[in-house]
Amino acid sequence: MEIKVAAARPEQMKKKPTDESKLGFGDIFTDHMFLMDYEKGKGWVNPRIEPYRALSLDPAAMVLHYGQEVFEGLKAYRGKDGSIYLFRARDNFIRLNRSSTRLCMPEVDVDFAVEALKKLVLLDKEWVPKSQGTSLYIRPTTIATEPHLGVRPSHTYLFYIIIGPVGAYYKEGLNPVKIYVEDKYIRAAKGGLGEAKTVANYAASLLAAEEAKEKGFTQVLWLDAKERKFVEEVGTMNMFFIIGDEVVTAPLTGSILPGITRDSVIRIVKEWGIKMSERSLSIDEVIDAADKGTLKEAFGTGTAAVISPVGQITYRGRDYVVAGGKMGDLSLKLYNEIVAVQYGEKQDPYGWRMKIG
Ligand SMILES: Cc1ncc(COP(=O)(O)O)c(C=O)c1O
C-alpha cells in the first residue's frame, strides 16, 4: 500500500518548543499524523499522513461506549551526531496486535506499521529534540469507529500514530520513588484485559493512584486480584526486585503488561551472568527480605523512565526502606546500558536499535 502524504501548509505548522529543558510529557504534538481506515471485508485501506488535527467521530462510535481501543508507547531518540533511532519498534507493533486480538480488533501489518512510523518521524524530524535525555514519544492507537449501540465488535476502525517531543524523565538525577502496596483496589484479574494495552486498565488504576498520591506516594504496587498476595506491576511499569543474588520479576501469566523494557532487562541481566527469575513473588517474601536485609534493590521498568529506582515500599502501614533510599548499583548499570543503546552511544549487541535518519 502506498502512503499518501498531504504535508501541512506553512500556516498549519505549529511553533516548535524552543527551550528543551522545559519539555514535559504528553502535551505537545508535531505537525503531522499517520492514519488508516479498516472496514470489515476490505481490511486496512487509505494509509496517509496528514496535518495533525482533531478527529471527527460519530457520538455513537463504539470506542466511546464499549472501550474497543488499543495503544502503544515507544520513543525515537536523537544521537549526539544527529542520527535518529527507534528502539524495538517492531516489538511494540507485535504487542499492539496481541492487544487487538484480545479486544476482537484487527491487527496491522507489523512491517508496514514500522514503515509508516519511519515516514512520519522523518517528515517531522525537526521535532526530535536534541538535548540529553529528551526524545520523541510515539503513540500508535486503534479505535472502533462504527456508529452502533449494542455490544459486539465494531465493523470499522481507525489506526493512527501521533508523535511529540518529551523532556528528560530525570531532570534532577535518578531519584528513588516511594511506592504504596495496594491491597484494597485491583488493576486486573487473570483472564481479563491486564496483558493488553487498552484503556480499561488505565481507567481501573486511576482511583488507587490518586489516593496513593494524596498520601505522598508516587505510585501503587499492584498485587494479584485473587489473593492480594503476589506482586504484579507498578503504575505504568513492570517491577523487579533483587533478593540476595537473584533478580526477580513477576511471570507473564495474563494480568500484567509484557513490557518491552522488562524484556530488555531480563535479556541483559542474563547476558551479564546474573541469576534472573521470572517467578511468583509474594509481598510477604519481599517484606521478609527487607527485614532481613537481603532485599538489595527494587526498580520499575518502562519506556518513560527506563529504570525507576524504588527507595521505599509501604505495606499495611509500615515503611520499608530499600537500598538505603538510594539508587542501587545494578539499577544504575542497567539504566546506563539501555540508554546507551537507545541513543546510539554504544554498539547494540541485542539488535534492538534501528537507525532511521
Ligand atoms: C501497565 C504498564 N505496565 C508496564 C509498562 C512498561 O512497558 P514498556 O517497557 O513496554 O514501556 C507500561 C508502559 O507501557 C504499562 O502501561
Side-chain angles (χ1 to χ4, degrees):
M1 274 192 298
E2 196 205 330
I3 300 170
K4 290 208 187 83
V5 180
R9 293 189 303 273
E11 70 274 16
Q12 289 175 307
M13 309 246 274
K14 303 174 203 167
K15 217 169 145 275
K16 292 185 189 66
T18 44
D19 186 353
E20 292 187 354
S21 70
K22 296 221 167 68
L23 280 174
F25 188 93
D27 297 315
I28 301 173
F29 299 97
T30 66
D31 291 322
H32 297 92
M33 66 195 291
F34 172 84
L35 307 102
M36 64 179 173
D37 307 309
Y38 181 93
E39 230 177 277
K40 200 177 167 189
K42 277 195 194 157
W44 289 107
V45 293
N46 197 15
R48 61 207 186 269
I49 291 174
E50 291 180 356
Y52 187 99
R53 61 169 170 83
L55 297 175
S56 151
L57 278 183
D58 193 291
M62 293 181 84
V63 61
L64 303 175
H65 303 274
Y66 311 115
Q68 259 192 311
E69 187 262 16
V70 294
F71 66 101
E72 268 307 322
L74 65 157
K75 285 174 169 179
Y77 306 86
R78 193 186 283 280
K80 285 203 181 90
D81 65 353
S83 306
I84 299 172
Y85 303 105
L86 294 176
F87 181 73
R88 305 194 67 174
R90 292 190 91 256
D91 293 321
N92 284 92
F93 289 111
I94 291 169
R95 186 171 69 185
L96 183 84
N97 282 344
R98 269 198 236 118
S99 302
S100 295
T101 302
R102 179 63 182 84
L103 281 115
C104 301
M105 297 169 69
E107 296 187 357
V108 296
D109 182 283
V110 170
D111 293 318
F112 182 76
V114 172
E115 278 317 301
L117 173 59
K118 271 161 72 176
K119 215 173 165 110
L120 176 65
V121 172
L122 290 180
L123 185 64
D124 281 342
K125 66 171 188 269
E126 297 306 320
W127 286 84
V128 185
K130 299 177 176 65
S131 339
Q132 196 178 10
T134 62
S135 54
L136 184 84
Y137 188 72
I138 300 164
R139 172 53 61 91
T141 309
T142 310
I143 56 170
T145 50
E146 185 186 348
H148 173 75
L149 298 184
V151 182
R152 61 153 171 80
S154 173
H155 293 155
T156 61
Y157 296 87
L158 172 71
F159 169 76
Y160 62 85
I161 307 176
I162 51 176
I163 57 180
V166 297
Y169 195 88
Y170 294 111
K171 288 199 174 103
E172 291 120 31
L174 292 110
N175 288 327
V177 297
K178 287 184 188 173
I179 56 173
Y180 179 81
V181 181
E182 180 57 65
D183 59 357
K184 181 165 72 161
Y185 303 110
I186 56 149
R187 173 185 175 274
K190 287 188 178 59
L193 296 176
E195 64 184 348
K197 202 159 166 68
T198 184
V199 284
N201 292 324
Y202 299 84
S205 75
L206 294 175
L207 185 56
E210 284 302 294
E211 289 185 6
K213 263 179 214 147
E214 267 166 35
K215 293 184 204 134
F217 298 95
T218 316
Q219 265 303 347
V220 303
L221 173 61
W222 297 106
L223 299 179
D224 76 283
K226 196 170 167 204
E227 296 181 72
R228 309 280 204 282
K229 183 173 171 192
F230 296 101
V231 166
E232 297 218 319
E233 56 187 330
V234 52
T236 56
M237 288 188 281
N238 295 108
M239 202 53 218
F240 286 72
F241 298 87
I242 307 179
I243 299 178
D245 59 1
E246 181 191 19
V247 181
V248 190
T249 193
L252 300 177
T253 48
S255 50
I256 68 171
L257 191 81
I260 312 277
T261 322
R262 172 190 182 278
D263 188 70
S264 307
V265 165
I266 290 172
R267 166 96 188 265
I268 296 171
V269 168
K270 285 183 181 165
E271 297 260 338
W272 286 351
I274 300 165
K275 185 173 178 200
M276 177 70 242
S277 309
E278 290 175 71
R279 66 166 175 88
S280 298
L281 177 67
S282 69
I283 186 65
D284 289 340
E285 185 182 341
V286 173
I287 296 312
D288 198 39
D291 276 336
K292 284 195 191 125
T294 52
L295 177 62
K296 304 258 178 65
E297 301 180 33
F299 58 89
T301 64
T303 297
V306 185
I307 302 286
S308 178
V310 171
Q312 184 188 307
I313 297 173
T314 297
Y315 181 51
R316 295 192 172 155
R318 256 192 80 188
D319 300 335
Y320 301 85
V321 174
V322 187
K326 301 200 182 68
M327 185 167 198
D329 292 345
L330 189 66
S331 310
L332 183 61
K333 216 177 141 198
L334 284 163
Y335 175 81
N336 287 337
E337 174 77 4
I338 296 175
V339 168
V341 172
Q342 289 170 334
Y343 286 87
E345 278 158 23
K346 66 163 290 199
Q347 273 200 329
D348 171 23
Y350 317 101
W352 290 335
R353 184 169 66 214
M354 184 192 288
K355 184 172 171 176
I356 61 164

